[in-house]
DNA sequence: GATCCGTGGTACAACGTTGTAAAGAGTGTC
DNA sequence: GACACTCTTTACAACGTTGTACCACGGATC
């Protein structure tokens, strides 16, 4: 049905390889010949068959991005940035959702899709300590997140500990002393929850404030709903917080919702701070102060690393190139949920 | 590097075609032979090369989903559902963002990617009346949205007019009489803005209430920011609304934010109603009442239609199968932003 | 005993592209 | 005029799979 290089070649009166040369921008083609070929391509509305090219070259121009789920704004925004960054490199993005399900994460790693893609950007949720060996795959991969660390793979992550420490320090500077956290995973050491909690504890220690376990709000899933539930539990205990640090924005927004339902004033009675800097955070009321973990940088860096891996496959295989770990820059975005606002700054 | 069918065949001591038969579940293979092949596959950790299979069969197992941008929660949630629906059919989803840019939308339609995918689910934003011919492509495609209608293609859309009419009628039932709308595109007839405005007008007419242009809030982009701006403009005019109907949830949430900044009580002074039923809407304060346009149904129907098209390519080509248009079911989700709430219902 | 059929297996030729090697056509140098 | 060089173009063989055609075997049918 669709035209092939053969058809173009016949119409232009040249060999099929010459058509290929034109299509791929090979320089040593006479201008006249090139024009003939281009005219034929135009006339037949020819498009290269990517599958055939792929079979021949082993490249597809597709990279896979595996995330828990796109319904979570953080991952939706990350995916958005990854798609745009990939586009800059002429790549398209195939998205896989694993929903934090271990089986599905393993499927992503060893899956049949690997022939379809030039590489994988993988943000695991279920995999963790002890699974490092599973990451030693023989295709280009960049790891995201903080569930698992392994020197053998390129990794883009955030300054979780430092950012959480700075965030907590910021709340302390505001004079808050009873800072609750929402999103704790009991017993977790590595992973966003463990690392951010570590940062929180360090900041308290820096300020000489005792750590009080009654201020810890557990939340397995980091959704708005669980944030609201954890907040409710904190309010119904006798913890008496004057600030809440949500380990992500969804948790913080859920907590904020719960506070407002109960008539607690934000930030006067309780200041609220989030993490992730999702778009929503800007439009809550009051707007949610949050930690921007460098989403944009994470996306562009990950894509760049993947492209580099693909380009220098040899060096990566034989160990000339050592895998690197990049920590994105963070900053605290101050908004109305923490600073007693003037009419203007409250937005 | 990776094992091929040749390797498996050699190890199992059979022909390469027999391996292919085993892999593809061809029934006439002796159990003993099948076992040998499976053992070899296992031993070599063999995976079919999808590119080669694709070249041979013309199928890739990938479908493309083209949306404006994933940062918009509606599309992120839609993509989530599409990915899951595709998974049920053994398909993977490649996502393209066109950002509502005409050039990029055209690229999607005529793009080089078409060889990589078995079909396209396309939600245009820039294309519209006059571009119908562009939709007559020779690969499986399902159209989403309400920017453009064409009898020649399968289409999944919403009851925009009816849903907006019902939504407006609901606000009227609550006793609201000065219902402002946010998200108007002046002069648009087709498209979400045009159709939803039409529903609004019909409901007013049904109730015998005069249409007042001063209650129309324009907003080109349907983001929270523009919703807030439009709301501000309405409040600073002398329109005096007692309800706001946001043409999507982002607009409504933005409007709500603006109202709260100004100390307007929701729903007592002004009721707010959205459209799309994104997850966020559940966790604003008060929770946003909204119209659920049947997102889930849209996603599953679109994928199903695409699969059917691919399976019955012939019938579609020669016109035996006629393209259909499906309208998803909608319903109004009543929450605290419209109903003067009890402590319980307010959540 | 010839014919037909179902089963289990194989050989070969595609699918549409690109890398390799090499041939022809000029151009310049000695 | 021979040689080396560059530019331009080509033929051919892959890449890894599957569809088609076909062969061989045994059992059933006439």
């Amino acid at each position: 049905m669709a035209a092939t290089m053969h058809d173009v070649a016949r119409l232009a009166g040249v060999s099929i390889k010459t058509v290929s040369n034109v299509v791929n921008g090979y320089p040593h083609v006479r201008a006249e010949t090139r024009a003939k070929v281009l005219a034929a391509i135009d006339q037949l509305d020819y498009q290269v068959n990517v599958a055939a090219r792929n079979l021949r070259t082993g490249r597809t121009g597709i990279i896979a991005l595996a995330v828990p789920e796109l319904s979570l704004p953080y991952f939706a925004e990350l995916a958005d940035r990854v798609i745009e960054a990939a586009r800059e490199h002429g790549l398209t993005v195939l998205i896989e959702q694993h929903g934090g399900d271990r089986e599905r994460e393993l499927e992503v790693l060893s899956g049949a899709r690997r022939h379809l893609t030039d590489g994988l950007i993988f943000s695991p949720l279920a995999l963790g300590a002890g699974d490092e060996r599973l990451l030693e795959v023989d295709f280009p991969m960049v790891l995201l997140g903080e569930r698992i660390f392994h020197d053998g793979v390129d990794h883009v992550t955030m300054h979780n500990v430092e950012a959480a420490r700075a965030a907590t320090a910021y709340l302390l500077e505001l004079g808050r002393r009873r800072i609750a956290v929402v999103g704790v995973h009991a017993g977790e050491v590595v992973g966003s929850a463990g690392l951010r909690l570590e940062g929180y504890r360090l900041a308290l220690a820096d300020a000489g404030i005792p750590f009080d376990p009654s201020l810890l709000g557990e939340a397995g899933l980091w959704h708005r709903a669980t944030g609201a539930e954890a907040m409710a539990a904190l309010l119904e205990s006798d913890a008496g917080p004057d600030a809440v640090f949500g380990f992500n924005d969804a948790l913080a927004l859920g907590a904020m919702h719960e506070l407002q339902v109960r008539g607690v004033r934000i930030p006067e009675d309780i200041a609220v701070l989030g993490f992730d800097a999702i778009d929503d955070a800007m439009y809550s009321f009051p707007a949610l102060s949050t930690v921007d973990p460098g989403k944009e940088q994470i996306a562009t860096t990950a894509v760049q690393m993947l492209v580099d891996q693909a380009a220098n496959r040899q060096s990566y295989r034989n160990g000339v190139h050592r895998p690197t770990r990049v920590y994105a820059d963070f900053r605290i975005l101050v908004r109305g949920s923490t600073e007693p606002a003037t009419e203007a700054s409250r937005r």
Side-chain angles (χ1 to χ4, degrees), chain A residues 162-241:
Chain A
E162 281 315 306
R165 186 180 197 163
T168 309
Y170 160 67
L171 290 172
L172 290 167
E173 269 166 38
L174 292 177
R176 310 289 170 160
R177 284 297 171 269
R178 302 281 303 157
I179 303 174
V181 293
V182 171
V184 174
H185 292 172
E188 184 179 293
V189 176
V190 87
S192 318
L195 297 173
R196 291 176 196 175
L197 183 62
E198 171 70 6
Y200 166 80
R201 298 183 72 147
L202 288 174
L204 289 184
D206 291 344
I209 296 188
F211 171 75
D212 179 356
S214 75
L215 285 167
L216 302 188
E218 295 249 354
L221 291 173
W222 285 4
H223 290 202
R224 284 180 172 81
T226 49
E229 284 163 24
M231 190 72 247
L234 282 165
L235 291 173
E236 280 158 20
S237 74
D238 53 0

